[in-house]
Each structure stands twice: as C-alpha cells, then as structure tokens.
Amino acid sequence: MDATTKPLRIPPEMAVYAEEHGVFEIIQKMVEKLLVDRPEDTIQYLIDHLRNNNDDAPRIVILGPPASGKHTMATLLGKRLNATHITPENLLSNDVSLLAKTALSYKHKGQEIPNELWTQLIRERLSEVDCVKRGWILEGFPRTREQALMLQMNGSTPDHVVVLDAPDIVLIERNMGKRIDRRNGEVYHTTFDWPDDPEIQKNLVEPEGISEEETGQKLLEYHRNIPGILRTFQKVHKQINADQPCMDVFSQVLTFVLSKPRSAAPHTPRVLMYGPPGSGCTLQAALLAQKYGVINISCGQLLKEAVANEKKYEEMIAPYIENSQQVPNTFVLKILTERLGRLDSSTYGWVLHGFPRDTEQAALLSDAGFQPNRVFFMDIPDDVAVERLSYRVTDPVSGERYHAIYKPAPSTEVHQRLQKNPKDAEESVQAKLDMYHANMEDLEEFYQNVIHVNADQDPYTVFEFIESCIVNPLPKSVPEDPASP
C-alpha cells in the first residue's frame, strides 16, 4: 500500500484473511488475558498463550435449582464437547491440593467454606492442563453474586452461563425421587430413570436433604441469589426451561454453548445467495442492500449493463445474451471481479446472486480473491418454483408484473394485454431446476458453513432469518456425536 495515494485502500485479501483466522478476536483475547494476569514477562506470556491455541475451548457454567438437571446436562456436555466436568464436590476430593485440604477442614468443622477459598480452588483447577487444553464445564457454582464477582476478578469468566429453570412443584417432586449409587455416585430416579440391573438397585440410597421441607428451603435460597448472579453474567447467560424431555433440554443447551458472542471486529458482509429460479434471491438481495447499504450485484443484470454501457464488452458478450446462451466464464469473471473490486464494494460489502452456478465458477471466483463470508442456499420445492414463475405475466404498457394467483390484474382491460415471457414457460423453468439440482450438492461441498433457508414462506420472514445469520457470528463447529447413527 502506498501511504501517499488517496484514498488509502486496503486489499480485500487482508480482510478475508483476518476474518478467516479470527485475527481481531485473537488480539482481543490476548489483551484481556494480559490485563487479568499481568505477567512480568509479557512477550513470553503471549507466546505461551498462542501455543496453547485454546481460545475456542468451552468455558461453561451450568446453574439451576435443586433437581433441575444440572448434573445430567453437565455430564452430557462434557462427553459431547470433550471438556472437563468440574463440581464443588470433586474440587474437594483433590488429595494433592493444599487448598482442597484447607477447604475440607472447614467442612469437617461444620463451617462455611470462605468464598475466597472457593475461587482460589477453582482458579487452581482451571489452570491445570486438561482444563486449559480441552475447556471446562463448572456445575453449580457460583451460588451467590459475591462468588460470581470473585470468579470475574480472578479471570475465571465463563463464555456461556446456562441457567436451568422449572416450576418449584416439579423440582420438589423430582428431588424426592432421587437416589444415588453409593459405589460411584451416579444419580437415578424412582420415576424417570430407574435402573434395570438388580445389582445397581441394591446399592441405591436416598441422599440427605431431599425432603419436601429441605428442598423448599434450598429453592428459597436459590431464588434469592439467582437475580444477582444473572446481573453479573448479563451478556453471556441463557435461561432454559428444564421441565421438558431431557434430550430436548440438551439440544437447546448445546445450541447455546456452540453460539459465539458477537464480535467487536469490523465486519464487511460478503454474501452469496444461491437458489433455484423463483426462490427469491433477487428480492432478498434487494432488501439487504436497502437496509444495510451493501452493494447488490446481480450477475445477469451486470452483463446486461456491460452490453449497454461498455463498448469493449459489447462485441464479446452481446451475441450470447441475445441468443439466451450462457456467457463464457472468462468474460463473466472479468466483468464481475471488476465490480466486486470497486471501492464501494470493498467498503460497504456486497451481496451476489446469479453467480456462481457450478463449482468451476465458484473456484474461479475464489481464485480471484473474492470469498464470501455467508453463503445462503434458498430452498423451495420444485412445484412451488414452477407455480411462482409459470403464472407470472407482464403488462407491456406499464411494465408492471402480475401473477395469476398471488397478484391478478386489476381490470379486464389490463388482463387482456398481459404477456408471458417465454423463459417462464413450465418446460423452461423445469430445465433450470434440473440444472440447479445437478450442481447443488457439489457447490454445498465447495462452500463450508452453508446456511439453508426455507424460502417457501413470507418474504419478510425469510429476510429476518437471513438478517440474523449475517448479524450474528456463525456457531462453533463440534465433532459429531460418536453415539449418533
């Protein structure tokens, strides 16, 4: 870049690289860690931090009243995310920790373990290799706002706080049916999760503190403390209804913990919309351009403008357009990259539709340095696409478009002069649909993190979904569950 040249332009490849590798988030995380830990040797500290490569490791807290399913959710998440499951109980069972022995001495005397000692215990545990490398899931802590603030002060801040909730009457019923295997501490329930093995049944015992009166006292204490805890983790918590089937709760919890917090990094939308004819790509691109100021680039319209305005392209591509033939990729890419490379596209972002149509075109676009950061596939049934297009007609006098079903002509006079474009004939539409289906799977494989959109609904409902996917970060990827088929 030449600093003497105005305006100063940053090559688009730099933004693509920064977004792809999360450069802004890496620097932000390093600054946060420096301010919390304040190491003496900052350079070596940052080198060690980068070597750990654990910024995406899960850091999750699971809270909830008694019998809300905290232990079950934490166990399932630990297995699915391969993260370390931590509870106050297993913190105290650490035989080699002096802090754990000190905390146990308080417990044996029947005294409350000080909050400062709890947070030191947690910090010590979270600094161990398994938590640093694989991440952690902390169950049932903090229990008060003071404990939550201490966690923040010592740098043990979670990225996600799951708060399970259910009516008190349901929780009391659940708690009274709880049984524990005295050999390994596994939890069962007389109604919902009774073991089939008679040997396990013999070892089940009723835990202490599950009577209706004791459970009620614990619920009162929980309801008194939870508002302050939620204020501490205001931007990273989500309350989930635990009064539903276990796997439904887990699905919602997993979706939440895989979501990423909104980044403060500069974000330039580079949106690619791909769909069959009649799926609404043109309308959705126009809505995005209208609301966010991104540059709306229609490949077909761009080629027509090139023929009309640019003499150097007229002789090359005019014959193809006049005969309704596909323009060679070389000519299309030359016109398209010139438009994508303009200053307004680099500054405000772009939404592209009509190109690419196959993996060859997608590879050419990528090789030219234009990589979308959101790819939407607009999905509609073939019969809906045919219905949308084959009943479409135009008034040659006013240029207004009508539809025999959704937008009929306002008068008999207008209806009699309506004309149908030959490209909207059912046979022509079906041929385009066949071509779309032939290339869809290969394009989906080419572009990672494709977002499928149900385009067979109200256009503004579709737009709201697309908008949310652009504004919010893409969720974290997680390995497939080995237990799933």
Side-chain angles (χ1 to χ4, degrees):
M1 295 184 293
D2 184 359
T4 63
T5 304
K6 300 295 182 181
L8 181 62
R9 296 191 60 184
I10 298 175
E13 294 83 359
M14 291 179 64
V16 174
Y17 181 87
E19 287 182 18
E20 183 179 350
H21 296 279
V23 173
F24 185 94
E25 288 80 6
I26 291 172
I27 296 174
Q28 184 181 38
K29 183 64 72 173
M30 288 194 299
V31 172
E32 288 177 1
K33 297 289 287 182
L34 278 175
L35 292 175
V36 171
D37 294 341
R38 290 175 286 184
E40 294 184 4
D41 188 348
T42 56
I43 300 299
Q44 187 59 48
Y45 177 87
L46 292 177
I47 291 173
D48 293 339
H49 173 78
L50 291 172
R51 281 177 177 166
N52 285 333
N53 191 27
N54 67 339
D55 285 344
D56 287 332
R59 301 172 182 87
I60 303 166
V61 164
I62 297 188
L63 302 175
S68 59
K70 301 186 293 296
H71 185 77
T72 302
M73 290 301 114
T75 302
L76 290 172
L77 275 180
K79 291 178 180 177
R80 185 67 190 276
L81 302 178
N82 193 29
T84 303
H85 179 189
I86 301 171
T87 67
E89 290 75 23
N90 64 33
L91 282 173
L92 297 178
S93 64
N94 189 341
D95 296 333
V96 297
S97 169
L98 293 176
L99 291 172
K101 292 177 181 178
T102 305
L104 277 173
S105 67
Y106 280 95
K107 188 174 182 181
H108 292 153
K109 295 175 185 177
Q111 299 175 348
E112 285 286 333
I113 299 174
N115 289 334
E116 187 175 350
L117 184 54
W118 270 122
T119 52
Q120 289 176 354
L121 262 173
I122 290 172
R123 182 176 175 82
E124 179 186 65
R125 182 66 183 90
L126 298 186
S127 64
E128 294 181 16
V129 176
D130 58 341
C131 292
V132 171
K133 291 291 186 182
R134 298 191 287 131
W136 47 266
I137 300 165
L138 179 58
E139 175 198 332
F141 193 93
R143 298 189 179 108
T144 65
R145 176 171 168 81
E146 184 182 357
Q147 291 175 348
L149 290 171
M150 285 186 172
L151 276 183
Q152 288 187 334
M153 291 169 62
N154 73 13
S156 304
T157 306
D159 294 328
H160 298 88
V161 176
V162 177
V163 183
L164 302 175
D165 197 17
D168 286 357
I169 190 170
V170 173
L171 297 171
I172 291 172
E173 180 185 353
R174 283 187 184 179
N175 211 34
M176 292 175 66
K178 188 184 295 184
R179 298 293 183 270
I180 294 180
D181 189 336
R182 56 190 170 192
R183 296 174 303 177
N184 53 26
E186 286 293 321
V187 180
Y188 296 90
H189 196 278
T190 56
T191 304
F192 307 114
D193 186 24
W194 189 249
D196 296 327
D197 190 342
E199 290 299 321
I200 297 178
Q201 294 177 15
K202 291 178 183 178
N203 288 287
L204 296 183
V205 296
E206 184 176 306
E208 297 179 359
I210 67 168
S211 68
E212 185 173 349
E213 183 179 351
E214 291 170 305
T215 303
Q217 289 296 326
K218 292 177 181 177
L219 287 170
L220 284 174
E221 184 180 354
Y222 171 81
H223 292 312
R224 185 171 61 250
N225 288 309
I226 193 63
I229 297 173
L230 297 186
R231 286 197 301 272
T232 308
F233 300 120
Q234 193 168 2
K235 295 184 178 180
V236 297
H237 83 268
K238 182 179 178 64
Q239 291 181 278
I240 294 175
N241 176 22
D243 187 17
Q244 51 183 324
C246 175
M247 295 315 296
D248 291 347
V249 178
F250 177 65
S251 175
Q252 294 175 45
V253 170
L254 182 63
T255 300
F256 171 60
V257 301
L258 291 180
S259 66
K260 294 181 180 179
R262 189 171 296 180
S263 171
H267 177 68
T268 304
R270 300 187 303 276
V271 182
L272 174 62
M273 308 201 73
Y274 178 71
S279 60
C281 290
T282 302
L283 173 60
Q284 298 302 325
L287 292 173
L288 282 174
Q290 180 182 12
K291 183 166 184 178
Y292 291 101
V294 298
I295 307 303
N296 183 2
I297 301 178
S298 166
C299 185
Q301 186 64 29
L302 206 61
L303 293 175
K304 292 176 184 178
E305 291 174 0
V307 172
N309 302 327
E310 303 288 345
K311 296 295 183 183
K312 60 181 179 178
Y313 294 123
E314 184 176 2
E315 292 183 0
M316 293 188 293
I317 65 176
Y320 296 99
I321 295 179
E322 291 171 359
N323 296 319
S324 299
Q325 295 177 345
Q326 185 170 334
V327 179
N329 291 337
T330 306
F331 299 150
V332 177
L333 196 68
K334 188 177 294 184
I335 297 170
L336 193 58
T337 53
E338 188 275 329
R339 183 66 189 92
L340 290 170
R342 290 185 193 173
L343 182 60
D344 58 351
S345 298
S346 302
T347 304
Y348 303 112
W350 43 264
V351 50
L352 172 63
H353 51 108
F355 189 96
R357 298 180 184 273
D358 53 42
T359 51
E360 181 183 353
Q361 292 181 344
L364 290 172
L365 187 66
S366 180
D367 292 342
F370 298 99
Q371 187 70 28
N373 50 25
R374 294 293 187 278
V375 179
F376 295 100
F377 276 33
M378 310 288 284
D379 299 332
I380 57 171
D382 284 4
D383 57 345
V384 174
V386 172
E387 182 183 274
R388 286 184 178 183
L389 297 181
S390 62
Y391 290 96
R392 190 170 61 178
V393 286
T394 305
D395 181 358
V397 176
S398 65
E400 186 73 20
R401 273 188 176 179
Y402 297 97
H403 194 279
I405 299 175
Y406 306 120
K407 188 183 176 183
S411 65
T412 307
E413 180 184 357
V414 174
H415 178 75
Q416 289 176 347
R417 65 178 185 237
L418 294 178
Q419 295 180 359
K420 186 174 183 177
N421 194 320
K423 71 177 183 179
D424 289 339
E426 187 171 339
E427 296 78 10
S428 177
V429 173
Q430 190 60 55
K432 293 178 182 176
L433 287 170
D434 293 340
M435 184 178 298
Y436 165 80
H437 291 304
N439 294 311
M440 183 184 70
E441 290 186 4
D442 291 337
L443 268 175
E444 185 174 9
E445 187 175 344
F446 182 88
Y447 287 112
Q448 296 181 352
N449 296 321
V450 165
I451 302 170
H452 284 271
V453 183
N454 176 18
D456 187 17
Q457 48 185 336
D458 178 77
Y460 292 97
T461 303
V462 175
F463 176 71
E464 287 178 4
F465 176 77
I466 292 173
E467 180 184 29
S468 69
C469 294
I470 294 174
V471 172
N472 295 319
L474 292 172
K476 300 175 186 175
S477 59
V478 63
E480 288 294 328
D481 185 359
S484 61

